[in-house]
Amino acid sequence: MIEMVRVSKAYEDNPNALFDITLRVEKGQFIYLRGSNGAGKTTLFKLLYAEERPTAGEIWVNGFEVARLKPRKIPFLRRTLGLVFQDLKLLPRRTAVENIAFALEVLGAKRGEVAKKAAQALRWVGLERRGNCLPSQLSAGEQQRLAIARAVVNDPVLLLADEPTGNLSITAAEEIIRLFEKINLRGTTVVLATHNEGLVAAWPKEKIVLEQGKLLEALAPPLLAGG
Ligand SMILES: Nc1ncnc2c1ncn2[C@@H]1O[C@H](COP(=O)(O)OP(=O)(O)O)[C@@H](O)[C@H]1O
Ligand SMILES: [Mg+2]
């Protein structure tokens, strides 16, 4: 599912954005990637979906050897992934339903399927009545749920969600966690990046902990050597 072996990522102004990371996430897991701001969570995700290349090390995601993936193969990797970005990346001039439809069209879905699947996804996150709203007309929690609907509409094998409860009340955060649990029950592996220790304490799950680019803790039983 995910395997990283001795992965490092250096930026010009941060030589150790990630340093010597070895970890494995198995199919079906729901796991937190925890770490304070700047720990390297978003960078780690970018390596996994081939937005950035590692400076060293090997990465496999859903059978793709990501660190060496040719640019023209990247769309095939991305088709197996659901991505919830830290900054959401919703299209501001498109309605909620259009945001989802656009993601489907990019992936080459058939015309007839797009509307049906988009409506289903909206219903699934409880936004069926908000489909014609622009993102700016939605609350923070609704925007987050829209980003999740877009990420799961194609039934990804692996969902990477970056700080999906970042700016939300505890009630809205709980709704989001419940959604991810539902996705996980459908068989999608979920990795949820968060700096929020309260969240991790309230809804405990297996976790990977990053600190200043280094792996501090990988408590999930199947992780690391001998696991
Ligand atoms: N594109 C980039 N260029 C230079 N430095 C970066 C870049 N992206 C991230 N960094 C640095 O890498 C470190 C980890 O950042 P990030 O992965 O965003 O952490 P987190 O998501 O855990 O808050 C930080 O020190 C950040 O400043
Ligand atoms: Mg981040």
Side-chain angles (χ1 to χ4, degrees):
M1 175 80 5
I2 299 177
E3 184 153 20
M4 304 179 92
V5 181
R6 309 212 62 174
V7 170
S8 296
K9 177 66 183 176
Y11 290 112
E12 229 165 72
D13 45 354
N14 185 348
N16 286 332
L18 289 173
F19 182 73
D20 203 16
I21 305 288
T22 295
L23 59 81
R24 178 183 296 175
V25 176
E26 304 283 354
K27 185 163 173 43
Q29 278 192 299
F30 186 150
I31 193 160
Y32 290 118
L33 175 62
R34 194 170 75 65
S36 47
N37 285 327
K41 303 180 296 296
T42 299
T43 301
L44 194 148
F45 276 1
K46 284 181 176 167
L47 294 179
L48 296 179
Y49 63 84
E51 176 75 22
E52 300 269 5
R53 300 261 168 186
T55 312
E58 293 166 35
I59 304 174
W60 283 269
V61 175
N62 298 342
F64 292 86
E65 196 178 351
V66 176
R68 285 195 202 97
L69 203 59
K70 295 203 169 66
R72 67 187 160 81
K73 295 280 170 77
I74 290 176
F76 295 96
L77 164 72
R78 301 250 172 103
R79 253 170 240 180
T80 71
L81 301 176
L83 302 173
V84 180
F85 300 100
Q86 187 162 6
D87 58 359
L88 302 187
K89 298 195 197 300
L90 297 171
L91 302 169
R93 289 174 211 287
R94 291 181 190 252
T95 64
V97 71
E98 286 167 354
N99 262 275
I100 300 175
F102 184 74
L104 283 166
E105 284 159 11
V106 167
L107 290 172
K110 294 195 192 88
R111 273 188 168 254
E113 274 184 359
V114 169
K116 194 175 126 202
K117 280 195 166 179
Q120 264 175 3
L122 276 181
R123 204 173 325 123
W124 200 76
V125 298
L127 287 180
E128 61 275 13
R129 298 214 201 106
R130 311 290 276 152
N132 294 322
C133 294
L134 293 171
S136 59
Q137 295 169 313
L138 300 174
S139 72
E142 287 172 335
Q143 289 180 21
Q144 191 61 247
R145 280 186 279 146
L146 175 56
I148 292 169
R150 184 183 58 184
V152 303
V153 69
N154 219 37
D155 256 326
V157 183
L158 170 65
L159 181 75
L160 304 175
D162 201 353
E163 305 273 8
T165 61
N167 308 312
L168 304 183
S169 69
I170 197 77
T171 334
E174 173 159 21
E175 270 179 49
I176 299 289
I177 294 286
R178 296 293 168 234
L179 274 179
F180 287 129
E181 286 175 343
K182 252 193 334 174
I183 294 161
N184 185 235
L185 280 176
R186 285 191 340 199
T188 295
T189 306
V190 177
V191 183
L192 191 164
T194 182
H195 67 269
N196 187 340
E197 291 180 39
L199 181 87
V200 176
W203 296 285
K205 311 209 176 278
E206 296 171 310
K207 59 182 188 273
I208 295 168
V209 183
L210 284 178
E211 196 177 278
Q212 295 181 358
K214 297 193 184 66
L215 195 64
L216 194 70
E217 191 182 336
L219 276 183
L223 286 172
L224 297 180

